[in-house]
Amino acid sequence: MVTIFLRTIKDRWLMFAIYTVFSIALMWMYIALFPSFSKVDTSFMNAFPEGMMKAFNFDINSFVTIQGFLSTEQFSFIWPMLMIALTVGYGGYAFAGEIEKGTIEFLLAKPVSRLNFFFSRYLVGLVMLVVFTPLTILAAIPLCKLYDINLSSSHFYTFVWLSLLFGVAIYNLAIMLSAIFSEKGKVFFLSIGLTVLMYVINIISTLKESLSDIKYVSFFYYYNPPKALIYNQIDQYTYWMFGGVAVVSLIVALVVFTRRDIST
């Protein structure tokens, strides 16, 4: 199990490093730009429709505090996109990718149980997520000090926790699909398609009052960067939503992978 874990880490570290460096570099750019943006007159934003402000997590405090600025520019779209690409990409490779390449039988022929193989591959992705999330969020603290920008560190710790919950839910869904299907392309497109659908549902729910209840099925209703970064809050039902999806997806993935007839 340890051998498979370390071998997989060795195979995937470059991809992980690219995503991490790119994410921090983008955040560095936004932090460097913040002193100029913070001087912009925000009164014009009062003319924007409230629904549009909610739909895109656009808070009037976005240009006033670094927390608000990063929540809008970095963490409402770019960071989730990078995190989803990282976790879904690895999820598809973990099982479906090996089946597609025809190498899964060779790997399962090694003196390791299918259960141990499952967890050795699953833990690699989980470790990448657990390292990527705080590293690419908490890097804001030293970078802000570099530009003499005041921030509330506790708000970023709260946001790390929210992002980890969101990330594990997405990752476990991808792992479940990887255990079910035999082509990584299906895992990628179904995971990304489901995520885009939930993003659109969240936007529609804020634009039309009669459809507001559909927001509860979207991950993006619970993943709320402004609420965590500006107001230092996470809604209690967020834990139930992300925790429930993560646990159910992992159990289904484990049962399917250990019982399915895998032939290439």
Side-chain angles (χ1 to χ4, degrees), residues 50-52 54-55 201-216 221:
E50 185 179 354
M52 191 193 77
K54 288 182 179 178
I201 286 175
N202 189 52
I203 290 177
I204 292 175
S205 70
T206 59
L207 297 177
K208 196 169 180 61
E209 182 64 28
S210 60
L211 297 175
S212 62
D213 286 345
I214 64 173
K215 64 189 177 187
Y216 297 113
Y221 171 69

Side-chain angles (χ1 to χ4, degrees), residues 58-100:
F58 204 58
D59 194 287
I60 197 166
N61 293 319
S62 294
F63 291 106
V64 178
T65 66
I66 187 64
Q67 291 89 242
F69 185 68
L70 288 178
S71 72
T72 300
E73 301 296 335
Q74 172 82 352
F75 295 121
S76 287
F77 184 72
I78 294 175
W79 188 89
M81 187 171 62
L82 290 173
M83 183 277 291
I84 290 168
L86 176 68
T87 53
V88 169
Y90 175 77
Y93 154 84
F95 305 121
E98 297 289 2
I99 297 173
E100 187 178 66

Side-chain angles (χ1 to χ4, degrees), residues 145-207:
K145 288 184 179 179
L146 185 65
Y147 290 92
D148 199 24
I149 298 171
N150 293 322
L151 82 168
S152 300
S153 300
S154 61
H155 294 204
F156 282 85
Y157 293 126
T158 299
F159 182 60
V160 166
W161 183 233
L162 171 66
S163 300
L164 275 174
L165 291 169
F166 176 55
V168 172
I170 293 284
Y171 174 57
N172 283 11
L173 274 176
I175 283 292
M176 181 184 72
L177 293 172
S178 187
I180 294 172
F181 295 104
S182 301
E183 297 92 29
K184 63 181 178 182
K186 287 185 179 178
V187 177
F188 183 80
F189 286 114
L190 282 172
S191 300
I192 297 299
L194 184 61
T195 305
V196 171
L197 178 62
M198 288 193 287
Y199 187 77
V200 172
I201 286 175
N202 189 52
I203 290 177
I204 292 175
S205 70
T206 59
L207 297 177

